[in-house]
Structure formats: structure tokens, C-alpha cells
Amino acid sequence: MTDLPPTGSPQIRFDVLTLFPGLFDGFLTESILGRAIRNQLVDVRLWDLRQWAVNKFGQVDDRPFGGGPGMLLMAPPVVDGVEAISNDDPAPAHVVLMSPGGRTFDQAKARELLQKRRLILICGRYEGFDQRAIDILKPELLSIGDFVVSGGEVPAMVVMDAVMRLVPGVLGDESSAVDESFHDDRGLVEYPHYTRPREYRGLGVPEILLSGDHARIAKWRESQRRIKESKEQS
Ligand code: SAH
């Protein structure tokens, strides 16, 4: 697909505070999101937390009081960083901190975040954050699920991806976000899809999809949508 001319007015701006900006390289340049950024439908800025290190050695972490394994991100670099990033643009920013203990991210939250227009995403590393960074900044804590990954970068990419594809024009076909899993409050997932070949390893395609009767196809598809299985059911 060819790139559209730049619109010049991004629908949403993301500022990401991270120790590893390089992790975002491919994510922000390839495919759908790369195109959205080039077309200025969305604006993404990466900020290296070390800019706000507490000393000339670039220190941003330290050992936890009370002992225990690992290191914590210190409060001053995180607080100073977020305050500086906030002031980089007069538009008020909604601050989100990636945390396994946060509320689980879902499609409804993606829709809600899109409305904020400006988001600061804070990525943790090591054992996480000095609690005072959280107490001072009062960010929204978001988790991508009940498991632990090594840093907040992949979780931040998950959030950005889900929000960005809701921006009008980001997906090639306007209707594709409307038709998708979880697009309304019923929590239904998509109906099954088929493409060529018409027969594969003895499996055919539901006849109705070959009928050309669009009204019946739409009805069939609606009937095939279902509630996602929850942990308890599976
Ligand atoms: N000690 C922490 C885990 C730290 S993992 C704990 O037990 O909860 C390091 C960082 O990765 C976290 O600060 C957070 O920013 C990010 N992270 C890890 N798992 C995550 C998840 N499921 N959702 C969101 N962020 C996560």
C-alpha cells in the first residue's frame, strides 16, 4: 500500500520513558504502525531514562532498602523524567506506568486511552520502581496479563499497538477495526475466516461463504461469533 500524504495533525501522541529506546526500532518503523507514524496520524517520542540519571555515571537504579534480590528504579529519575516530558507539550498528558500489579489492559481500555490524546508510558526494568515514584506521579497502572516479563517495553508496545490501530486511517480498511474481536461491549470474538485454497487436507469451506449472498453471509458470521473462553472454562 502506498503512503498517504502526511496529515500534519497527529490524533494521539505517545511519550515513552525507557532505559532501552532501541527496543522500539522495528516496532515503530515496520508495517501498519510504521506507516501511521510516517503519515503523521500518530506521534511517538522515545525518552531515555538515563537523561535523568542521578549522577555522571548514569545511575538510575539502586538496591532495595530492607534487602532482597535485584535493583529498583530510583524515584528521582522517573519523577524528573515524567515532569520534563509533560512540559515538552502544553497538552495535558495521561500518565501510565506498566506494572504486572496494575489493572489488566483490554480493548475497552484501549478505546478509553485513545480519547486522552496524549499518553506518557513509563517502562519499568529490574524489580520495578521505588514506590514513591508511583505515589508522587499517581500514574494509571496497567498490566498486560498475569505474568512477568523483563521490562515494560513490550507491555508498552502492546498498549500503543492496540490504541494506534483504533486511530481513524491507521488500518488500511476503515471497517477492519469495527468488525474485530471485542469491538463492542459484548466481549465477542471474531467469526472464523477462510481463504484459498477452497479445499485443504480434506477440509472445505462453509458453503454459505461461497454463495455470494451477502445478507446471509453477514447473518452466518454474526451467529459464529462467541464469547471468549475464560480461564475457568478452558
Ligand atoms: N518485581 C516486579 C516485576 C518487575 S518486572 C513484580 O514482582 O511485580 C520489570 C518491569 O517490567 C516492571 O516494572 C514493569 O514495568 C514491566 N512488566 C513486567 N511484567 C509486566 C506485565 N505483565 N504487565 C505490564 N508490565 C510488566
Side-chain angles (χ1 to χ4, degrees):
M1 195 186 297
T2 52
D3 286 3
L4 300 165
T7 62
S9 57
Q11 302 294 300
I12 185 163
R13 167 172 168 171
F14 296 91
D15 291 277
V16 184
L17 184 59
T18 169
L19 272 177
F20 300 100
L23 281 174
F24 292 83
D25 287 351
F27 174 70
L28 295 174
T29 52
E30 302 284 337
S31 189
I32 293 176
L33 304 184
R35 194 175 62 227
I37 291 166
R38 286 195 300 278
N39 289 341
Q40 296 172 29
L41 293 167
V42 295
D43 185 3
V44 181
R45 318 266 174 121
L46 301 173
W47 304 85
D48 189 336
L49 182 63
R50 286 210 199 276
Q51 264 186 264
W52 294 281
V54 294
N55 55 32
K56 63 176 182 195
F57 307 109
Q59 187 183 357
V60 292
D61 60 328
D62 211 334
R63 290 201 298 275
F65 284 123
M71 302 293 270
L72 288 174
L73 292 173
M74 303 165 83
V78 176
V79 172
D80 291 351
V82 169
E83 286 176 352
I85 295 166
S86 295
N87 292 334
D88 188 60
D89 188 308
H94 181 67
V95 182
V96 171
L97 182 141
M98 308 316 304
S99 166
R103 177 195 151 156
T104 305
F105 183 66
D106 61 13
Q107 193 68 22
K109 179 56 72 177
R111 284 193 291 269
E112 188 189 314
L113 292 182
L114 176 62
Q115 303 308 319
K116 306 279 184 197
R117 301 285 177 215
R118 188 172 176 222
L119 297 173
I120 296 177
L121 304 180
I122 311 171
C123 305
R125 276 278 154 177
Y126 318 123
E127 291 306 318
F129 301 85
D130 182 318
Q131 180 60 33
R132 291 166 298 178
I134 295 166
D135 294 343
I136 292 167
L137 295 170
K138 300 186 179 60
E140 175 171 19
L141 305 185
L142 282 185
S143 162
I144 57 162
D146 292 350
F147 46 84
V148 178
V149 294
S150 312
E153 288 77 12
V154 168
M157 288 185 221
V158 168
V159 170
M160 281 198 284
D161 189 325
V163 174
M164 284 197 241
R165 67 203 306 287
L166 296 177
V167 172
V170 165
L171 296 182
D173 178 354
E174 269 313 324
S175 64
S176 31
V178 174
D179 219 20
E180 282 182 321
S181 301
F182 315 119
H183 78 267
D184 58 23
D185 294 332
R186 295 177 299 167
L188 297 176
V189 296
E190 226 180 17
Y191 47 80
H193 296 287
Y194 299 87
T195 184
R196 286 185 290 185
R198 249 170 96 152
E199 196 175 309
Y200 179 63
R201 297 201 178 186
L203 297 177
V205 168
E207 270 310 313
I208 190 161
L209 297 178
L210 309 171
S211 69
D213 184 338
H214 294 297
R216 277 183 60 222
I217 291 172
K219 225 168 150 184
W220 178 84
R221 284 180 166 163
E222 190 54 37
S223 75
Q224 295 293 307
R225 305 189 65 198
R226 54 178 179 78
I227 305 276
K228 192 170 97 94
E229 281 174 32
S230 69
K231 245 193 282 191
E232 295 71 37
Q233 291 167 310
S234 60

